[in-house]
Amino acid sequence: MSDIAVKIENLSKLYHIGEAASGSLAETISGKFKKVFRTTARQNDPTEFWALKDVSFEIKRGEVVGVIGKNGAGKSTLLKILSRITEPTTGKIEINGRVGSLLEVGTGFHPELTGRENIYLNGAILGMARAEIKSKFDEIVDFSGIEKFIDTPVKRYSSGMYVRLAFSVAAHLEPEILIIDEVLAVGDAEFQKKSLGKMQDVAGHGRTVIFVSHNMSAVKKLCSKGIVLINGSLSYAGTSEEAANYYFSNNNALHLVSIKNRKDIKGDQSILVENIEILNNRNNPVGELIVGESCKIKFSFSLREEIQMEKLFFAIQIYDINEKLQTTIASDELGINFPDLAKNGQFVIEIDRLNLRAGDYYINYMISKKVSNATPHVIINHLQHAKAFHVMTSDFYNSGVLLRSAGYLQDARIYTER
């Protein structure tokens, strides 16, 4: 028996922007003729988008591989091809073993069936005998924590319940190859921790795991190997630690997509964030800061509509490359409110001393409002991995010793500018 679980050679996936497939026979035949008469692809055809381009790699049985890349890098497309949800445009795939996948909330579930019925359906799809599924049933339900709703149609489940049951099914029905996308981020922190532990257990029993996540700490802890996708191409393959370091040190990875082009912004965006700048102590826009120096982070915004609210909140979180939270700076904690905003302005965070160790970091931000004391917060604009920056060591005190950390909490202020 081959020790190769997954082998990919020159895998590419082409999408034609603006072409929607209905799945009809006429459209299928039409598409075949288009392929025949479409000769070499035009180099800069604006209707063509290569989600993957000439990707090749091998995964051995029992390996746990992390797939790393920013949004739009081709990670989900790769997993959908491996899960046989979509076909590649060119290239070859060899998969040796039964595949279980969890790519999107509710993938593989029939909405009209109950949780119980969907467990048996998923097992049957994996080629398992009913007796085999039955022997795992109690364990699946117990892990998912939704026993109370197991006989409820899954169309009535929340996204969190979907994820709990779907992951439990995928992990316990023992496929030889388990494919997990970032869908686990939907679950609560306790369940995420529980799921990562289960994946470690799965890997420890010699099964192959392919895991996509932005959580570098989880990737490095869970995975033995990592691959980095940038703009649809395989940019790096090595150990998970090396892959994570490469991702954050590579210029293409650090300079994230312009906010105007991001598709993953949450909220109604009645306040539109148009640009983020990091300014050093000389007020110059930079991508690198020095340990211990003062700096500013400016969020340029515009109001798309008049906002009716009692309170407006603005906050940022700074994470390191291992997805560990380093600091939160929030307007409500600083006792700041923004009663009147200019139509065009800036949220400014001013930091007296940057208390971060040398390394790579990124910023998440959130703008939310409270319409009244009786209502919860409403998200206006929230984005993760919004801005990346690097912190350098420096002889900050001219003492001949490189300062690696300022050693105490930074003082910070938030205010607006027009």
Side-chain angles (χ1 to χ4, degrees), residues 238-295:
T239 68
S240 57
E241 179 119 14
E242 290 168 346
N245 291 339
Y246 174 87
Y247 171 66
F248 279 100
S249 63
N250 184 278
N251 285 333
N252 287 331
L254 273 178
H255 294 97
L256 301 177
V257 177
S258 166
I259 288 182
K260 292 182 180 180
N261 297 326
R262 293 286 291 267
K263 306 298 183 187
D264 53 336
I265 300 173
K266 294 181 173 64
D268 62 23
Q269 296 186 65
S270 52
I271 299 178
L272 190 66
V273 175
E274 297 176 330
N275 189 39
I276 304 173
E277 278 189 324
I278 297 176
L279 308 176
N280 63 12
N281 57 4
R282 294 173 299 283
N283 224 35
N284 296 324
V286 294
E288 294 181 324
L289 295 168
I290 296 172
V291 172
E293 78 171 351
S294 61
C295 63

Side-chain angles (χ1 to χ4, degrees), residues 68-80:
I68 302 169
K70 65 186 180 184
N71 294 322
K75 306 185 300 297
S76 294
T77 299
L78 173 63
L79 297 197
K80 285 178 180 178

Side-chain angles (χ1 to χ4, degrees), residues 93-362:
I93 310 169
E94 179 185 328
I95 298 177
N96 298 310
R98 194 165 58 188
V99 177
S101 59
L102 181 56
L103 305 185
E104 295 173 357
V105 174
T107 299
F109 279 8
H110 192 294
E112 299 296 334
L113 300 181
T114 65
R116 182 187 302 274
E117 291 164 337
N118 271 292
I119 291 174
Y120 283 97
L121 174 63
N122 272 257
I125 291 170
L126 285 172
M128 300 178 70
R130 186 175 180 85
E132 191 178 356
I133 303 168
K134 190 174 182 179
S135 69
K136 295 282 183 180
F137 184 86
D138 290 343
E139 195 176 345
I140 291 170
V141 175
D142 181 62
F143 187 92
S144 70
I146 61 165
E147 182 177 4
K148 184 178 177 182
F149 306 98
I150 199 63
D151 291 309
T152 300
V154 298
K155 67 181 180 181
R156 299 198 181 117
Y157 284 12
S158 68
S159 58
M161 291 166 66
Y162 256 122
V163 168
R164 282 174 171 271
L165 185 59
F167 177 82
S168 190
V169 169
H172 286 84
L173 291 183
E174 299 188 352
E176 284 86 6
I177 301 168
L178 179 61
I179 299 174
I180 303 289
D181 203 349
E182 189 105 47
V183 67
L184 286 181
V186 177
D188 55 58
E190 181 185 351
F191 186 72
Q192 288 179 42
K193 184 177 180 181
K194 189 176 175 182
S195 299
L196 290 172
K198 182 61 182 177
M199 281 193 278
Q200 281 184 305
D201 181 55
V202 167
H205 284 80
R207 283 185 276 165
T208 306
V209 179
I210 303 172
F211 178 50
V212 165
S213 180
H214 286 112
N215 187 329
M216 294 300 142
S217 179
V219 168
K220 291 199 285 188
K221 182 179 179 181
L222 179 67
C223 304
S224 55
K225 293 188 176 180
I227 62 173
V228 181
L229 293 177
I230 295 179
N231 296 327
S233 296
L234 179 62
S235 188
Y236 187 87
T239 68
S240 57
E241 179 119 14
E242 290 168 346
N245 291 339
Y246 174 87
Y247 171 66
F248 279 100
S249 63
N250 184 278
N251 285 333
N252 287 331
L254 273 178
H255 294 97
L256 301 177
V257 177
S258 166
I259 288 182
K260 292 182 180 180
N261 297 326
R262 293 286 291 267
K263 306 298 183 187
D264 53 336
I265 300 173
K266 294 181 173 64
D268 62 23
Q269 296 186 65
S270 52
I271 299 178
L272 190 66
V273 175
E274 297 176 330
N275 189 39
I276 304 173
E277 278 189 324
I278 297 176
L279 308 176
N280 63 12
N281 57 4
R282 294 173 299 283
N283 224 35
N284 296 324
V286 294
E288 294 181 324
L289 295 168
I290 296 172
V291 172
E293 78 171 351
S294 61
C295 63
K296 293 178 183 177
I297 307 172
K298 290 190 174 184
F299 293 76
S300 299
F301 67 82
S302 62
L303 301 187
R304 295 176 62 182
E305 58 186 60
E306 187 176 340
I307 302 173
Q308 298 295 326
M309 62 191 169
E310 184 169 294
K311 288 183 179 178
L312 180 72
F313 297 90
F314 175 74
I316 69 166
Q317 293 178 315
I318 299 178
Y319 284 80
D320 67 13
I321 65 171
N322 294 319
E323 296 280 334
K324 289 184 178 178
L325 178 64
Q326 298 299 305
T327 190
T328 298
I329 302 172
S331 62
D332 59 334
E333 292 176 355
L334 294 171
I336 299 166
N337 193 19
F338 307 100
D340 298 307
L341 291 181
K343 185 168 179 59
N344 294 282
Q346 294 178 322
F347 291 110
V348 182
I349 295 177
E350 193 173 287
I351 298 173
D352 286 343
R353 283 252 168 117
L354 187 69
N355 177 30
L356 293 174
R357 294 184 180 276
D360 294 309
Y361 298 87
Y362 66 86

